[in-house]
Each structure stands twice: as structure tokens, then as C-alpha cells.
Amino acid sequence: MRLSPAVSAAAGIGGLALAAVASWSSLLLVVQGRVVPGWGVSATLLVMALVLRWALDRVGRRADASRLPRKRATWRLGAGLLIGMAVLGTGWGAVDDLVSGAEYHVLRPAGPGGCTAVVRETSFLVIGNGEAYAVGHTGLALGESGSWTVDDGYRPVGAGMYELDWGRDGGLLRISGTSTDPITGGGIADIDCGW
């Protein structure tokens, strides 16, 4: 099967653009009960896009050696910028998770329609932070549903200090602190998978 150079370029640029967007967004993916953070999704998309680009370039070189050098230079510049953005965003996300000791929790029970609450807890110096995500049946969360801050780097969800109630319209996650480590910002998140 022979692809036109335009299709090859669109596939390569599209894959790189997805990797770049994923690296800078607050998305996450749940696969078989395990959380893949946005930087992990981006790294996977980046590798897949680079392999696809390499394969399509090899096929394209054999099939059509007459592409104009100017078009090739434009393709390389655009691809280089997207690769740079994706690598920088992926690295930034991975370092952030490493430095803050990020922990991901898939909360049970799941709600109606397979809606699941996922929490990311971090701690840096003396401040703890948490974010809640609503993950639908696709396994993908496209942004956070709520966030909170806790004193002394305390991780309330990891300690079981939360309540998750499901109703017909979604879930409500309530985070509790302790008398010495209170919740100082937020503490309630609506878990809505968009039924």
C-alpha cells in the first residue's frame, strides 16, 4: 500500500501534535485499574508518532524521491517544534510526579455507568495537595474535578479519610483532614462523567 506524501505528513504531524497536547494537559488514563498519568500517555504517543513518522518516511523516500526541499524543511521545523514541546511537557510532568512523590488512587466503589473517581496526592515541603478526576467508561479523564490543600504534607485519601457517595447524577467526594492537619482549601469534588 502506497500513501501520498500529504497523508504521511498529516499522520506524522497529527501524532506529534497529540503527544504535545497530552504532555501539557491535565489528563490521565486508567487501564485495568492502574493509572497512567498524562506524561506517561504523552511519552507513549510520542514514541508511537516517531515510529510512525520513521516508517512513513522510509516508504515515502522509496516511493517519491522528488519532494521539494522547501516542503521537507518546513515539515522538519514543524515536527521539531512539536517533538520539543512533547519532550519538554513529558519531562516536566515526570519530574513533577517524582519530586512531589505523587500517588494515584482509584477509589472504589465505581459509580453508575462505570464512572470512577481517581485521586492524585502530592506533597512538597510542608504542603500536601490533592486533585480528583472523573474517569468515564473510556478510561480517560480530561481534567480535574476538584482540588484541595492540606497542612504538613498529609495525604488524606491515602489514609482513608474520605467519603465517596454516588447518586443518579454523579458522585460527591468529601475529603477530611485531622485536627492537626486540616484541609485548608477545597475538600469537596463533584465526580461527573457526563452521563
Side-chain angles (χ1 to χ4, degrees):
M1 181 175 142
R2 198 172 144 191
L3 295 174
S4 74
V7 171
S8 298
I13 291 289
L16 292 173
L18 278 174
V21 168
S23 71
W24 290 100
S25 63
S26 62
L27 67 81
L28 58 83
L29 180 67
V30 176
V31 180
Q32 295 181 348
R34 295 192 182 269
V35 177
V36 180
W39 61 265
V41 173
S42 173
T44 302
L45 288 171
L46 181 60
V47 168
M48 288 172 38
L50 290 174
V51 168
L52 177 65
R53 177 179 172 216
W54 174 80
L56 292 175
D57 276 354
R58 278 184 66 122
V59 169
R61 256 188 246 132
R62 277 188 250 138
D64 183 22
S66 66
R67 286 203 297 185
L68 296 174
R70 192 169 133 199
K71 284 187 180 180
R72 185 170 277 189
T74 303
W75 155 251
R76 284 191 180 156
L77 177 64
L81 288 172
L82 288 171
I83 290 169
M85 285 177 53
V87 167
L88 187 62
T90 299
W92 184 275
V95 168
D96 180 47
D97 268 8
L98 181 67
V99 169
S100 66
E103 294 176 0
Y104 293 86
H105 306 280
V106 178
L107 306 184
R108 298 290 180 223
C115 187
T116 305
V118 173
V119 169
R120 176 183 185 259
E121 288 187 304
T122 59
S123 176
F124 187 70
L125 298 176
V126 294
I127 301 296
N129 291 300
E131 295 124 21
Y133 297 85
V135 179
H137 66 278
T138 62
L140 192 63
L142 298 176
E144 68 182 52
S145 298
S147 62
W148 56 91
T149 306
V150 187
D151 262 352
D152 296 331
Y154 182 61
R155 298 176 188 231
V157 173
M161 299 292 290
Y162 68 91
E163 214 177 294
L164 177 60
D165 296 314
W166 292 103
R168 275 189 359 196
D169 297 331
L172 184 64
L173 177 63
R174 287 183 211 89
I175 308 300
S176 304
T178 65
S179 59
T180 56
D181 300 313
I183 303 291
T184 58
I188 296 178
D190 286 321
I191 308 299
D192 183 6
C193 292
W195 297 305

